[in-house]
Amino acid sequence: MTAMAGLKDLFTRNLRQSGIYVAFVAIVGLFTILTDGVLLSPGNVTNIVLQYSYILILAIGMVIVIIGGHIDLSVGSVVALTGAVSAVVVIQRGLPWWVGVLAGLAVGLLVGMWQGFWVAYVGIPAFIVTLAGMLLFRGMTLQVLGNISLSPFPAEYQKIAGGFLNGFLGGQGIDVFTLVIGAIAVLGYAFSQYRARLGRIKYQQVVESMPIFITKLVLVGLVGMAFTYQLARSRGLPIVLIILGILVIAYQIVTTKTVFGRHVYAIGGNLSAAQLSGVKVKHVNFWIFVNMGMLAAVAGVVYSSRSNGAQPSAGEMFELDAIAACFIGGASTTGGVGRVTGAMVGGLIMAVMSNGMQLMGIDQSVQQMVKGLVLLLAVAFDIYNKRRAGAAR
């Protein structure tokens, strides 16, 4: 494939995935200009990671739910419930911080099993089950906390979302350890993309030209190292970013390299065909929601660590932010389409917009309207792509 043909393929046939990255770069550039560079300052880049990490964690689970053709409206309430349980265990009962983490994760798994049972084996639509769950788990949160807030957590628990790894390799004002980890991540990405390219060539699939491929790797590498450099100039490598990175890598493998991942796409893409192909639909649907419950618990632990306490109102509207991140990141409203990486970019777009508008002092009501319009346009773009693909056939 020539360079010009590669560019055409990149921005037409793959417009759904490539367009989101172009939009992300454009939004970052716009808010960098509007905030006089404050958006990309070292301290603010670190704050974006700390403030929106739990939404990105939720988006990982939510995109799998959406790919499977479902929706989950309860994750905000699950975040509140798991944080509340952790707070009771650690703050009220005085048990070690890690016991609180395990208790929160156990509650998330039980919640996922509960909702997975009703969706998969009883056959109630996920929209109804999770809408009921949103009310049920919010009420349970109020019961667990006794309608009061609990704080503070011990220092070890606070480090989950507020701790940093730095100083291991020295550096005068720039943490070398953070730069090394960033470089390893960029090299790992380049290697994985190269292997994927070889695999597509082996099976005689269309790939972009080598100049386009190298350009893509260079651009991603530069962005990655610029991001790492800003973190290194601030407080170093956030622990929560390591947690998020591990989850992204793990679920990228799960969704693209495992039987479970292929079955999720098959169910969301064509349920009847999946059933005729022998896919255990009920089994897969059950584990989709167990997984969502677990990731909501992880987000609950991170959020309670970040806020240094548990509140009855925690997690409100989180489900909408997670769903918006997935749709903005390229997931289809009808299921069968979506990527973990796309959901991450969609979540980062929401994070940059929120942070940029806060820095500009824009009223909260206007911020909500802007987010709503962006979500609407993302779904409209999805529908446009489907109609164009149908017309092409």
Side-chain angles (χ1 to χ4, degrees):
M1 182 180 292
T2 65
M4 288 302 296
L7 283 173
K8 182 179 180 180
D9 178 76
L10 186 64
F11 290 105
T12 56
R13 190 168 65 87
N14 295 320
L15 182 62
R16 182 177 184 81
Q17 290 300 327
S18 61
I20 191 65
Y21 297 104
V22 174
F24 176 61
V25 172
I27 289 172
V28 170
L30 174 64
F31 280 105
T32 299
I33 294 172
L34 294 176
T35 60
D36 296 324
V38 176
L39 179 77
L40 293 182
S41 63
N44 194 62
V45 169
T46 299
N47 287 336
I48 290 175
V49 173
L50 299 179
Q51 291 173 3
Y52 298 98
S53 56
Y54 39 86
I55 298 297
L56 296 178
I57 292 171
L58 288 175
I60 294 173
M62 189 64 73
V63 75
I64 296 175
V65 172
I66 292 172
I67 291 170
H70 306 291
I71 203 72
D72 192 336
L73 301 177
S74 68
V75 293
S77 296
V78 179
V79 166
L81 178 59
T82 53
V85 170
S86 295
V88 168
V89 169
V90 177
I91 299 173
Q92 280 193 346
R93 305 299 181 186
L95 295 175
W97 67 272
W98 55 269
V99 177
V101 172
L102 292 178
L105 294 178
V107 169
L109 288 172
L110 289 173
V111 166
M113 293 169 68
W114 167 264
Q115 299 198 127
F117 167 77
W118 291 104
V119 173
Y121 295 107
V122 179
I124 301 176
F127 180 88
I128 301 300
V129 172
T130 58
L131 178 60
M134 179 175 67
L135 301 174
L136 174 63
F137 304 133
R138 182 65 62 180
M140 292 176 67
T141 301
L142 296 173
Q143 288 285 335
V144 170
L145 292 176
N147 290 329
I148 63 172
S149 299
L150 291 178
S151 64
F153 280 106
E156 295 86 354
Y157 193 96
Q158 294 179 46
K159 287 181 180 179
I160 296 172
F164 295 85
L165 298 180
N166 52 40
F168 298 111
L169 300 177
Q172 297 295 325
I174 300 176
D175 185 57
V176 176
F177 174 77
T178 302
L179 292 177
V180 170
I181 296 299
I184 292 173
V186 168
L187 291 175
Y189 171 80
F191 179 71
S192 67
Q193 290 295 302
Y194 179 69
R195 286 193 60 184
R197 177 184 172 85
L198 291 181
R200 287 193 290 269
I201 292 174
K202 179 180 178 181
Y203 290 100
Q204 298 181 341
Q205 297 177 358
V206 176
V207 297
E208 64 267 44
S209 66
M210 184 56 72
I212 293 294
F213 178 72
I214 294 175
T215 300
K216 181 180 72 173
L217 293 184
V218 170
L219 289 175
V220 171
L222 289 174
V223 171
M225 289 309 300
F227 170 72
T228 304
Y229 178 70
Q230 294 298 77
L231 293 179
R233 290 178 59 199
S234 181
R235 288 170 280 178
L237 188 65
I239 293 175
V240 72
L241 183 59
I242 297 175
I243 296 172
L244 180 61
I246 292 172
L247 290 174
V248 169
I249 293 171
Y251 280 94
Q252 180 68 10
I253 294 172
V254 167
T255 55
T256 59
K257 304 294 184 181
T258 68
V259 173
F260 174 78
R262 290 195 291 271
H263 285 177
V264 172
Y265 278 98
I267 291 171
N270 191 322
L271 178 59
S272 298
Q275 291 173 327
L276 292 173
S277 300
V279 175
K280 298 179 180 178
V281 174
K282 293 181 179 180
H283 179 80
V284 173
N285 282 334
F286 176 78
W287 285 105
I288 285 174
F289 282 92
V290 171
N291 177 72
M292 185 70 256
M294 184 194 69
L295 287 175
V298 174
V301 170
V302 170
Y303 181 74
S304 59
S305 171
R306 170 69 178 167
S307 57
N308 193 23
Q311 305 85 30
S313 61
E316 290 184 350
M317 301 295 287
F318 281 13
E319 57 276 350
L320 300 185
D321 286 337
I323 292 169
C326 296
F327 287 139
I328 293 172
S332 173
T333 54
T334 56
V337 176
R339 294 182 181 179
V340 171
T341 51
M344 293 300 96
V345 176
L348 288 173
I349 286 177
M350 298 288 287
V352 169
M353 288 195 306
S354 296
N355 182 264
M357 288 187 288
Q358 289 170 9
L359 292 175
M360 295 170 63
I362 294 176
D363 188 80
Q364 187 69 28
S365 61
V366 177
Q367 294 186 36
Q368 295 297 329
M369 288 189 288
V370 171
K371 290 180 182 178
L373 287 173
V374 170
L375 175 59
L376 184 64
L377 290 174
V379 176
F381 184 68
D382 171 45
I383 294 174
Y384 167 76
N385 273 339
K386 288 178 180 177
R387 289 177 177 173
R388 189 182 62 175
R393 295 191 190 100

